[in-house]
C-alpha cells in the first residue's frame, strides 16, 4: 500500500470519518496525506469537523493502528479495498454514501453483481424459513448470487440455502470480519468465503451496535439488482434495506403473509405501499428479466463427511437418524448433555453438508 493509500486508511480509522466528511476534507486539502498534516484549527474550519474529530485525525498521523490493521488483515486472508482501488466493486461507485473502505474475505467476481438480496426477520417463522429456502435455492441454482446480512432467522436461511444448492453467497456484516456474530453462525461465517465472500466496511475487530446494522443494509441494497423481503415486523431492519433498495432504483419484492402475524406486518405494509409481490420463485423470475440465469442449473449434493466429524457431531447425527419423525434441538441437547449453543453449531454444520434438514416446529431429520 502506497503512502497516500495508507493515509486514506488512517483517516478511515480516525473517529467519525465517513464518506461525507472524508470528501469534504479531500476537497479542501487535495490529498489524504495533506489532511493528516493539517493543523487542528484548519481541520475545524471544515463543516462537520468538530474538535473531537480533528484531534482524532491528528492523533492518527503518528499512530501505527493502520499498519497493524494491514498486518492483521493479511494474517487472516482478508483483503482491504479502498474506494480508489481498481478492484473496488463497481456497484458502489455511483452512490454518495459509498463505503470508503471495504474488508473482503473470500472472492468477489463480476458475476456477483448479478445478485438477489434476501432479508427478513430475525424471529422468523417456519413459513418464513421454508419460503426463504425455496427462493434462495431456486435462484442460487440458476447462477444468481444470494446476498444477505448473516443475521439470525431469514438471513441465515438464505445463506444456507445458497450453499446447499452449490450457489454463491455474499454476507454483508454489521461488525468487523474478525468478530463472530451472531456466535451460533461461526461455522456459517467461516464457510461463506469458500462459496462467495464476507464483506464489511468496519475495522476488523469492530463489535456490532445499533447503528452498524442499518448502515450495512445500504451495502446489501447497492450490490444487489433486487431485494426480496420474506418476513418483517413494522420496525424490522429489513424494511430499511427495502427502503434503500427503492431509493437506489432497485425492485423490491415481498412475500405476502398472514394479516394476524407480527412477522408479516412490515411485509404487508410494503405491498400496500407498492412493492412487487412474489408468489413463487418462478413468478418472481418472470418479473426479473435483468437477471442473467445460468444455462446450467446446479443441483443440491449430499456430502459424506463421517470421517471428518468429531464424536459430538457423530452423536448428534446418530440421534437424529434414529428419529424418523424428527427431533427438536432441545431434546438433542438434553439427551446428549451438550450445551444448546453447541448443538446449534453442530446442526448448522450438518445442514450445510446436506446430511440433515429442518422440518416445521424446529425438528430435524436425516436426509435419506
Amino acid at each position: 500500500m502506497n503512502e497516500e493509500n495508507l493515509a486514506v486508511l488512517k483517516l478511515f480509522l480516525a473517529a467519525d470519518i465517513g464518506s461525507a466528511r472524508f470528501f469534504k476534507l479531500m476537497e479542501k486539502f487535495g490529498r489524504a496525506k495533506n489532511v493528516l498534516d493539517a493543523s487542528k484549527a484548519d481541520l475545524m474550519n471544515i463543516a462537520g469537523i468538530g474538535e473531537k474529530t480533528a484531534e482524532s485525525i491528528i492523533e492518527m498521523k503518528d499512530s501505527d493502528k493502520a499498519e497493524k490493521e494491514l498486518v492483521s488483515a493479511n494474517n487472516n486472508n482478508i483483503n482491504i479495498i479502498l474506494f480508489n482501488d481498481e478492484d473496488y466493486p463497481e456497484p458502489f461507485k455511483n452512490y454518495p454514501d459509498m463505503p470508503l473502505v471495504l474488508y473482503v474475505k473470500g472472492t468477489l467476481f463480476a458475476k456477483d453483481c448479478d445478485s438477489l438480496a434476501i432479508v427478513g426477520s430475525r424471529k422468523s417463522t417456519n413459513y418464513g424459513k421454508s419460503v426463504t429456502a425455496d427462493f434462495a435455492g431456486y435462484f442460487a441454482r440458476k447462477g444468481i448470487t444470494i446476498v444477505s446480512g448473516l443475521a439470525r432467522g431469514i438471513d441465515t436461511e438464505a445463506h444456507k440455502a445458497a450453499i446447499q444448492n452449490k450457489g454463491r453467497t455474499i454476507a454483508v456484516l454489521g461488525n468487523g470480519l474478525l468478530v463472530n456474530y451472531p456466535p451460533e453462525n461461526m461455522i456459517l461465517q467461516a464457510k461463506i468465503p469458500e462459496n462467495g465472500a464476507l464483506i464489511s466496511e468496519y475495522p476488523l475487530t469492530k463489535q456490532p451496535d445499533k447503528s452498524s446494522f442499518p448502515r450495512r443494509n445500504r451495502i446489501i441494497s447497492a450490490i444487489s439488482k433486487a431485494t426480496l423481503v420474506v418476513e418483517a415486523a413494522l420496525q424490522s431492519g429489513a424494511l430499511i434495506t427495502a427502503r434503500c433498495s427503492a431509493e437506489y432504483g432497485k425492485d423490491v419484492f415481498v412475500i405476502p403473509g398472514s394479516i394476524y402475524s407480527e412477522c408479516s406486518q412490515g411485509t404487508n405494509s410494503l405491498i400496500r405501499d407498492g412493492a412487487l409481490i412474489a408468489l413463487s420463485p418462478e413468478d418472481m423470475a418472470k418479473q426479473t428479466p435483468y437477471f442473467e440465469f445460468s444455462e446450467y442449473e446446479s443441483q443440491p449434493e449430499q456430502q459424506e463427511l463421517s470421517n471428518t466429524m468429531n464424536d459430538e457431531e457423530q452423536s448428534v447425527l446418530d440421534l437424529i437418524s434414529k428419529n424418523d419423525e424428527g427431533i427438536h434441538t432441545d431434546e438433542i441437547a438434553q439427551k446428549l448433555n451438550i450445551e444448546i449453543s453447541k448443538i446449534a453449531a453442530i446442526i448448522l454444520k450438518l445442514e450445510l453438508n446436506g446430511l440433515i434438514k429442518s422440518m416445521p416446529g424446529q425438528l430435524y431429520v436425516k436426509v435419506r
Side-chain angles (χ1 to χ4, degrees), residues 262-273:
E262 181 180 344
C263 286
S264 296
Q265 289 180 4
T267 46
N268 289 344
S269 71
L270 288 174
I271 294 173
R272 179 197 61 203
D273 295 337

Side-chain angles (χ1 to χ4, degrees), residues 112-314:
D112 290 327
C113 295
D114 201 31
S115 58
L116 168 66
I118 300 181
V119 296
S121 175
R122 286 173 170 81
K123 299 178 180 179
S124 53
T125 66
N126 289 324
Y127 165 73
K129 291 178 180 179
S130 178
V131 167
T132 301
D134 285 346
F135 276 78
Y138 175 88
F139 282 95
R141 290 193 299 274
K142 290 185 173 294
I144 304 302
T145 300
I146 303 301
V147 180
S148 199
L150 199 65
R152 297 181 177 98
I154 298 302
D155 291 18
T156 295
E157 295 301 318
H159 293 304
K160 281 167 37 180
I163 294 172
Q164 290 168 339
N165 286 276
K166 297 193 292 185
R168 287 181 59 77
T169 186
I170 294 173
V172 184
L173 277 57
N175 46 265
L177 295 189
L178 295 186
V179 176
N180 289 311
Y181 187 85
E184 64 267 26
N185 275 356
M186 180 175 64
I187 292 175
L188 181 59
Q189 186 169 332
K191 183 76 173 177
I192 286 174
E194 301 174 11
N195 304 270
L198 301 171
I199 296 178
S200 176
E201 65 174 327
Y202 296 108
L204 292 170
T205 58
K206 168 74 167 62
Q207 294 290 329
D209 56 42
K210 290 183 179 180
S211 65
S212 62
F213 292 113
R215 283 191 56 77
R216 69 94 191 268
N217 291 342
R218 81 191 196 287
I219 297 179
I220 293 175
S221 299
I223 200 172
S224 308
K225 284 189 174 180
T227 294
L228 173 65
V229 184
V230 178
E231 288 184 317
L234 287 174
Q235 301 300 319
S236 173
L239 298 188
I240 298 176
T241 307
R243 185 176 69 246
C244 287
S245 297
E247 291 174 352
Y248 291 166
K250 313 290 183 71
D251 282 341
V252 176
F253 290 86
V254 174
I255 301 296
S258 168
I259 62 172
Y260 302 110
S261 172
E262 181 180 344
C263 286
S264 296
Q265 289 180 4
T267 46
N268 289 344
S269 71
L270 288 174
I271 294 173
R272 179 197 61 203
D273 295 337
L276 299 168
I277 300 176
L279 297 179
S280 69
E282 294 80 5
D283 171 63
M284 183 174 168
K286 292 177 182 178
Q287 301 179 68
T288 53
Y290 37 78
F291 281 136
E292 297 180 10
F293 292 125
S294 172
E295 293 183 6
Y296 169 75
E297 185 170 316
S298 64
Q299 296 296 326
E301 182 177 59
Q302 181 175 341
Q303 302 178 30
E304 288 295 338
L305 296 180
S306 298
N307 293 332
T308 66
M309 288 190 291
N310 60 36
D311 291 342
E312 285 187 339
E313 292 165 353
Q314 188 65 57

Side-chain angles (χ1 to χ4, degrees), residues 12 24 28 34 38 52 57 98 130 198 274 293 322 328:
F12 164 76
K24 284 183 180 179
K28 171 66 176 179
N34 294 341
K52 180 180 177 181
I57 292 172
M98 62 188 292
S130 178
L198 301 171
F293 292 125
K322 295 175 183 176
H328 195 278

